[in-house]
Amino acid sequence: MSQTRYRWMLLLVIILVASNILLGYLLMQSGNQSVAKKRKGNEVSAWYAEVGLEQDQIDTFKILKEEYFRDMKPLWSDVRQLKDSLYRQLDKSIEDSSAQNILLLISKKNLEADSRTYRHFTKLRRFCTPAQQARFDTIIPKLVNRTGRKR
């Protein structure tokens, strides 16, 4: 192989290695924001657009959403802890009184969570115009019952 061909091949290999390093760096940088967060943000934006919210309504919804999640996190944490304590008792029968008590507490916490969620959406609905309320009423059941959500 001639000296010129060798240099060209070496140059191409260096360019390929450098481009792979650059691509890896860019992928790592864009990977800092998780795909789930990007998708969730797009879903929320699409939801706002589908209802037809104005910017001031969107700002209000965002504030109320933050308040809702701040208030709900302790409740969801309680449910998670109760479930953990329930499943640590797998050696006992479902008829055992301690398991029954935990199940009762879980159901009460879930009832409270569902009630808070319902109140949250009725509060949000009040900020909508009548036309937006009709779209809101069809979207919310899908939003609340979607699968694969992570709290």
Side-chain angles (χ1 to χ4, degrees):
M1 199 183 293
S2 72
Q3 191 70 9
T4 309
R5 278 191 176 170
Y6 176 74
R7 286 185 178 160
W8 276 109
M9 288 181 72
L10 182 61
L11 179 66
L12 286 174
V13 168
I14 291 171
I15 290 172
L16 285 173
V17 168
S19 64
N20 282 336
I21 290 171
L22 179 64
L23 180 63
Y25 173 77
L26 292 174
L27 286 173
M28 294 296 282
Q29 291 299 90
S30 69
N32 288 342
Q33 184 181 15
S34 71
V35 174
K37 271 192 170 182
K38 288 179 187 176
R39 189 179 322 126
K40 184 178 180 184
N42 291 339
E43 287 176 9
V44 171
S45 298
W47 179 82
Y48 291 155
E50 196 172 338
V51 174
L53 298 177
E54 301 294 327
Q55 187 58 48
D56 60 327
Q57 290 172 310
I58 292 172
D59 294 340
T60 302
F61 274 44
K62 286 181 180 179
I63 291 168
L64 292 173
K65 177 185 170 189
E66 288 173 12
E67 290 174 5
Y68 168 76
F69 279 103
R70 186 185 64 241
D71 293 341
M72 292 298 289
K73 280 184 181 181
L75 184 60
W76 290 329
S77 177
D78 289 348
V79 171
R80 211 172 12 259
Q81 288 174 352
L82 286 167
K83 286 183 178 182
D84 287 346
S85 65
L86 175 68
Y87 290 110
R88 280 194 296 269
Q89 299 183 23
L90 286 175
D91 60 329
K92 298 179 182 174
S93 168
I94 190 69
E95 287 80 24
D96 185 80
S97 64
S98 63
Q100 286 294 316
N101 288 336
I102 294 171
L103 287 168
L104 185 61
L105 288 171
I106 291 170
S107 65
K108 286 180 182 177
K109 294 285 184 180
N110 281 328
L111 176 64
E112 184 179 347
D114 289 339
S115 297
R116 287 184 188 183
T117 301
Y118 183 81
R119 281 194 301 272
H120 170 71
F121 283 115
T122 56
K123 183 190 280 187
L124 291 179
R125 189 178 186 277
R126 285 188 222 126
F127 290 98
C128 296
T129 65
Q132 291 170 335
Q133 286 178 350
R135 291 188 295 264
F136 185 90
D137 293 346
T138 60
I139 293 169
I140 293 304
K142 294 180 214 170
L143 186 70
V144 172
N145 292 318
R146 70 181 188 256
T147 58
R149 67 186 162 155
K150 189 163 181 132
R151 291 184 184 176

